Amino acid sequence: RKKFNIKKKYIFYPAQFWEQKNHINLILAFKNVLHKYDASLVLSGAKKINFQNIKRIIKENKLEKNIKIINYVHEKYMYSLYKNAECVAYVSRTGPTNVPPLEALKVGTPLICSDVYEMKKQVGSKSAIFINPKKISEIQKSIENILKNNILKKRLIHNGKKRIKKLSLESF
């Protein structure tokens, strides 16, 4: 957190800045969360075709103080970014497989995950809060649930660790 100057409570979304990664819906949901909670949204990933559009949405909604874009992050910092996050919000509209949800489970970070393709089969139906990535209200509600409910967070972490132990190259 110190290296990137990130507030104590933050939601983490590691994803390239492509349109299908759905940053805009996450940003709009996060804006609504700020009415109740003091938190940050941390976005990391290489600048892709949708990057300028995302920066414009952040500016239009006056969220520059609450959203931190740290672009590409070297792998030696990724564990800490996952581990210290309140949750990973993986709101991508695409699949069929994505690595960050599995990394969140491995590290022991609560996961909000899009219910697309085979994501429930990949991460396990009890290891995440699954959302429709097209519905801003679902994304918002899931973030709020994570921020206010430590029992839910502990249950997701526990189920995620159980799920990750069951995965192997063979089963994948």
Side-chain angles (χ1 to χ4, degrees), residues 25 29 131-140:
N25 280 0
I131 51 93
N132 179 336
K134 296 177 184 176
K135 294 191 176 181
I136 293 167
S137 62
E138 282 188 29
I139 300 168
Q140 175 189 341

Side-chain angles (χ1 to χ4, degrees), residues 33-172:
V33 168
L34 289 174
H35 296 293
K36 295 179 184 177
Y37 298 95
D38 181 26
S40 294
L41 175 61
V42 176
L43 308 174
S44 73
K47 295 178 184 177
K48 298 293 182 182
I49 197 163
N50 204 34
F51 182 76
Q52 291 305 320
N53 192 33
I54 291 164
K55 296 237 345 164
R56 179 183 56 79
I57 296 292
I58 292 169
K59 186 173 183 172
E60 284 175 1
N61 285 280
K62 299 178 174 79
L63 295 169
E64 299 93 338
K65 291 181 181 176
N66 299 95
I67 298 178
K68 183 87 169 173
I69 297 176
I70 55 177
N71 303 320
Y72 173 79
V73 176
H74 190 276
E75 64 185 54
K76 72 180 180 179
Y77 302 111
M78 288 302 285
Y79 177 88
S80 180
L81 286 169
Y82 275 103
K83 188 68 178 171
N84 291 300
E86 294 295 310
C87 70
V88 168
Y90 202 80
V91 297
S92 178
R93 295 190 312 255
T94 59
T97 57
N98 294 292
V99 174
L102 295 174
E103 291 175 330
L105 299 184
K106 179 71 176 168
V107 170
T109 304
L111 176 63
I112 296 167
C113 190
S114 294
D115 189 5
V116 295
Y117 298 99
E118 299 290 319
M119 291 308 296
K120 276 187 181 173
K121 286 183 181 178
Q122 181 182 348
V123 302
S125 63
K126 295 180 180 180
S127 298
I129 298 174
F130 288 93
I131 51 93
N132 179 336
K134 296 177 184 176
K135 294 191 176 181
I136 293 167
S137 62
E138 282 188 29
I139 300 168
Q140 175 189 341
K141 183 179 176 185
S142 64
I143 293 170
E144 289 174 351
N145 284 339
I146 292 283
L147 291 174
K148 71 181 177 185
N149 190 335
N150 283 330
I151 294 169
L152 171 63
K153 285 172 63 173
K154 288 178 183 177
R155 187 178 78 232
L156 291 172
I157 291 167
H158 174 76
N159 291 341
K161 287 181 179 182
K162 281 175 47 179
R163 175 65 182 162
I164 209 75
K165 286 179 183 177
K166 292 180 181 179
L167 297 177
S168 67
L169 288 175
E170 292 77 24
S171 67
F172 186 71

